[in-house]
Amino acid sequence: MRKIWISLCFFLLFLNGRSQEVEEVLYKAGFENVMVKSEGEDTIKVFFEHREFRSPYHSMRYAKLLLRDVQDKNIVWAPLYHNFPIGNYNAENYNYRPLTKEDKTFFKRNNSWFKGYRFHFRIHPNFAARFGFYDQPFQTKLDIILDTRLYLATGLSIQSGIRIPVQNSLDSRNSGVRLAPSLLHCFTQPVPNHFFGISLGTYYYDRYGWDLQYRYSPLDSRWSFGLESGLTGYYRIDADSYATGDLSFFHAVVDAEYRLPFENLSLKLSAGQFIFEDKGFRVDLIRQFGTVDLGLYAANTNVGTTAGFQFAFSLFPGSIYRSQNLELRTTEAFRWEYSYNNEEPVAKSYRLGIPRLSNILRQYNARFIKSLSN
């Protein structure tokens, strides 16, 4: 009996040593909050977050390459987003399954939401443009934003930073450095396939207030459905002044999105009351190219009709400086949208400073991830 206990202790020490080796290898490569769970004799599950990549596929592929010399077991990935696990992906074929009760218990027991993360400082541009005026056909505005996100608990974070004006021929805002959009944000998945994003703070389009997002999104399905709602008001912040209006603008938009069976195309139909309280609908056709999304859209509301395009991608070079506790990087998701109608605010939605749930979960869809691995 004593020999059995001694053998068991040595086996557990061996497993712990291999787990620590996996955690150290991944952490040095920019992965954060790495946790390794044994799934029997021949499989381990690796929880992790990597904030430099838009698509979890690229982080999983990178981790697999890093671990090929230090890990001889089968691997199941459990990627995190904002310190909350999304689901399970098999490392060989990227089959998806929701989190189990055991996964949630393990994560809750081992999650190091403070010590497991570096202090990230993110650089990203805020660009706006208007075309078509005779005396000034190309009006632009460019700010550089330096912000950071701090985790307060599982799925709960606060984001803030500074906005540095670079060029402005679009409006009359002054050129002083000022506070960037700042918010308290909660991301959660209380039951499988049901995702929530709740925010309170200041946003782009000079809006402040609260924002609620819900999405039913089985990550191995072609269909997903969502609701976005909120109550906002205008605010203005300059280098030496601050002013707010009443919280009087209510918006509520529902949508259905279908992933077509070819070319990583998604068709999304949205309808409701948008942020300028215009009522109508919008249709988006989105194509995913690895780390880049390209989209066309058309919209009609009681204010008018418009069409345009949008794109989203990670900015080069990614990580600029990384140490044990600090990282400086460019944004993982720069998004810009153009509308041919410059004057009438048709079917608009403000940017939060973080991607919206539909744009996030589209990257985690197992059909998209499998297409990248083929």
Side-chain angles (χ1 to χ4, degrees):
M1 188 69 179
R2 183 181 178 185
K3 290 182 178 180
I4 294 176
W5 278 109
I6 292 174
S7 299
L8 180 60
C9 288
F10 275 112
F11 178 69
L12 292 175
L13 287 171
F14 173 77
L15 286 180
N16 185 59
R18 296 300 295 270
S19 297
Q20 288 182 349
E21 188 176 8
V22 169
E23 293 172 7
E24 290 174 2
V25 168
L26 294 181
Y27 191 77
K28 288 180 181 178
F31 292 78
E32 299 175 289
N33 210 9
V34 181
M35 293 165 274
V36 180
K37 176 189 175 189
S38 177
E39 296 264 296
E41 295 183 359
D42 60 349
T43 303
I44 62 170
K45 182 173 293 180
V46 182
F47 294 76
F48 71 86
E49 185 161 354
H50 201 307
R51 290 186 271 179
E52 188 179 330
F53 297 105
R54 283 193 73 231
S55 168
Y57 165 73
H58 295 91
S59 58
M60 291 186 284
R61 184 182 67 173
Y62 184 33
K64 186 176 180 179
L65 291 172
L66 291 170
L67 297 181
R68 61 186 174 183
D69 295 328
V70 300
Q71 183 55 243
D72 56 2
K73 292 191 174 187
N74 297 322
I75 300 176
V76 175
W77 307 114
L80 313 178
Y81 180 77
H82 285 193
N83 189 230
F84 200 99
I86 298 293
N88 297 309
Y89 298 83
N90 186 283
E92 294 302 319
N93 52 25
Y94 296 100
N95 285 333
Y96 167 83
R97 61 182 176 85
L99 298 167
T100 64
K101 290 183 179 180
E102 292 76 13
D103 293 336
K104 295 177 182 178
T105 300
F106 174 85
F107 178 76
K108 185 177 180 180
R109 184 187 306 121
N110 295 276
N111 180 30
S112 179
W113 55 266
F114 183 74
K115 294 182 180 179
Y117 288 92
R118 296 177 175 88
F119 288 101
H120 269 241
F121 291 93
R122 183 180 64 158
I123 301 171
H124 56 110
N126 178 40
F127 178 73
R130 184 165 57 196
F131 309 95
F133 284 88
Y134 179 78
D135 58 339
Q136 198 172 12
F138 188 51
Q139 297 172 294
T140 61
K141 181 179 180 179
L142 174 63
D143 301 330
I144 299 297
I145 293 176
L146 176 66
D147 63 13
T148 188
R149 171 176 297 277
L150 298 177
Y151 292 101
L152 307 177
T154 300
L156 182 65
S157 61
I158 187 169
Q159 177 175 304
S160 187
I162 58 171
R163 177 185 292 192
I164 306 170
V166 176
Q167 186 273 340
N168 185 9
S169 60
L170 185 63
D171 57 35
S172 60
R173 298 297 293 270
N174 65 33
S175 59
V177 175
R178 55 189 182 274
L179 188 70
S182 305
L183 65 151
L184 179 70
H185 181 73
C186 178
F187 171 79
T188 187
Q189 182 187 187
V191 293
N193 305 321
H194 295 266
F195 299 87
F196 289 85
I198 305 168
S199 302
L200 176 65
T202 59
Y203 313 117
Y204 293 84
Y205 272 139
D206 294 330
R207 292 296 184 97
Y208 82 101
W210 60 267
D211 183 89
L212 168 67
Q213 301 172 72
Y214 161 74
R215 194 151 204 89
Y216 172 68
S217 183
L219 296 179
D220 54 357
S221 171
R222 296 190 185 278
W223 284 99
S224 68
F225 304 90
L227 165 68
E228 297 178 2
S229 184
L231 185 65
T232 62
Y234 282 109
Y235 85 100
R236 183 181 179 107
I237 184 169
D238 294 312
D240 54 359
S241 63
Y242 178 78
T244 61
D246 294 335
L247 287 171
S248 57
F249 291 90
F250 177 75
H251 70 275
V253 178
V254 296
D255 74 79
E257 183 171 329
Y258 178 72
R259 176 175 291 274
L260 299 171
F262 53 86
E263 300 296 339
N264 282 325
L265 280 167
S266 295
L267 184 65
K268 181 180 178 183
L269 174 63
S270 307
Q273 179 165 288
F274 296 88
I275 67 167
F276 288 96
E277 299 190 320
D278 55 322
K279 300 176 179 67
F281 69 90
R282 169 173 166 150
V283 180
D284 287 83
L285 182 64
I286 302 165
R287 172 80 187 275
Q288 293 174 270
F289 296 88
T291 60
V292 178
D293 292 355
L294 295 178
L296 302 174
Y297 73 90
N300 177 265
T301 71
N302 58 324
V303 170
T305 301
T306 193
F309 64 87
Q310 60 175 312
F311 54 79
F313 59 91
S314 301
L315 287 186
F316 180 83
S319 181
I320 298 171
Y321 172 80
R322 179 185 296 146
S323 68
Q324 182 72 13
N325 300 309
L326 178 69
E327 180 152 5
L328 175 66
R329 62 180 175 88
T330 52
T331 183
E332 73 284 3
F334 171 69
R335 180 173 294 274
W336 193 70
E337 181 175 293
Y338 170 74
S339 169
Y340 87 86
N341 188 334
N342 289 326
E343 295 301 316
E344 297 173 339
V346 178
K348 291 289 187 181
S349 62
Y350 50 77
R351 287 168 38 227
L352 299 172
I354 56 175
R356 288 195 169 271
L357 276 184
S358 59
N359 297 324
I360 295 165
L361 297 176
R362 195 178 298 118
Q363 303 297 319
Y364 285 87
N365 188 279
R367 294 174 184 271
F368 170 59
I369 291 174
K370 285 184 178 182
S371 73
L372 297 180
S373 65
N374 293 333

